[in-house]
Amino acid sequence: MRHIIWDWNGTLFHDIDAVVGATNAVFEPYGLGSYDADGFRAVYTRPIWKAYERMLGRSLFEGEWEKLDLGFHENYHRLMLECGLAADALSTLQSWERAGGRQSLLSMWMHDRLVVKIAELGIDRHFTRIDGLRAVLDGQPAPSGGHKAESMVAHIAALGVDPADILVIGDSVDDALAAQHVGARAVLYTGGMTSRVDLEAFGVPVVDTLANAIDHA
């Protein structure tokens, strides 16, 4: 492997507490009990609206997803201010760089906020490219909470790197599916939103630290 594509939320950025807190806030009016991290991981999936339907035990009504998504992000952007990088994120980025590897970042979080936060944390120099979810895609408002595969296609095309030389590191099965979609390899990390059981079921390596993840490169 010559190039690592990192995920952001739940991988390099340790924001599980903000995600759970924001989820609990938007579902409080529904009378659901609060989730802790493990409880949230038990219901989490992508696309996110499927996880919301699991929580509610029913399909979302027309317009309900957009309302929940807006409410989630309003709460998340407040709570994430208390979050930081995963414990070994910086040392792992530096280690891979010293080994001569290249790395980029692909997230389904909003691009404008993503690049500002990464610069604020002082790690932007480690990436050859940073891509988040654009507000507009092909002239239309970009959907939030969807799958990552098509974004991965565009990211790799912009990199100009052979997928066979790429390792994708993320915290969700969707990261592995996106890697599979383009012909790259994947390693999944347990520090984010998905339970270890669900990660292991996909059949790719699963690790508890980011340092262990780059061992697979």
Side-chain angles (χ1 to χ4, degrees), residues 102-116:
R102 300 178 67 189
Q103 47 202 337
S104 59
L105 191 148
L106 175 62
S107 172
M108 298 300 282
W109 191 35
M110 288 169 279
H111 181 79
D112 291 345
R113 287 184 177 270
L114 176 69
V115 294
V116 169

Side-chain angles (χ1 to χ4, degrees), residues 47-62:
I48 299 297
W49 54 82
K50 291 294 185 184
Y52 287 1
E53 289 177 337
R54 284 183 181 180
M55 294 175 189
L56 292 170
R58 61 166 173 81
S59 298
L60 296 178
F61 302 135
E62 184 175 353

Side-chain angles (χ1 to χ4, degrees), residues 62-183:
E62 184 175 353
E64 193 172 19
W65 156 247
E66 291 78 7
K67 179 182 176 182
L68 289 168
D69 190 48
L70 178 62
F72 170 84
H73 282 98
E74 287 176 348
N75 285 282
Y76 174 80
H77 292 143
R78 170 177 55 86
L79 296 170
M80 62 165 276
L81 299 177
E82 303 300 319
C83 301
L85 294 172
D88 60 347
L90 180 58
S91 60
T92 303
L93 293 172
Q94 293 170 336
S95 175
W96 180 246
E97 199 170 74
R98 286 194 300 269
R102 300 178 67 189
Q103 47 202 337
S104 59
L105 191 148
L106 175 62
S107 172
M108 298 300 282
W109 191 35
M110 288 169 279
H111 181 79
D112 291 345
R113 287 184 177 270
L114 176 69
V115 294
V116 169
K117 189 63 179 179
I118 289 171
E120 177 186 304
L121 292 169
I123 61 170
D124 49 327
R125 66 180 183 84
H126 294 290
F127 305 111
T128 61
R129 184 176 181 88
I130 297 169
D131 282 318
L133 187 67
R134 264 64 175 188
V136 176
L137 185 65
D138 296 331
Q140 300 294 323
S144 175
H147 291 297
K148 202 172 195 175
E150 292 308 315
S151 296
M152 184 68 74
V153 171
H155 185 75
I156 290 179
L159 291 173
V161 178
D162 186 341
D165 293 327
I166 291 174
L167 179 68
V168 174
I169 301 175
D171 72 307
S172 81
V173 171
D174 194 54
D175 291 298
L177 286 167
Q180 184 183 70
H181 183 71
V182 297

Side-chain angles (χ1 to χ4, degrees), residues 197-209:
V197 170
D198 285 346
L199 296 178
E200 290 178 338
F202 193 82
V204 301
V206 175
V207 297
D208 295 316
T209 70

Side-chain angles (χ1 to χ4, degrees), residues 17-27 71-73 75-77 79:
D17 291 337
V19 170
V20 173
T23 302
N24 286 334
V26 296
F27 281 101
F72 170 84
H73 282 98
N75 285 282
Y76 174 80
H77 292 143
L79 296 170

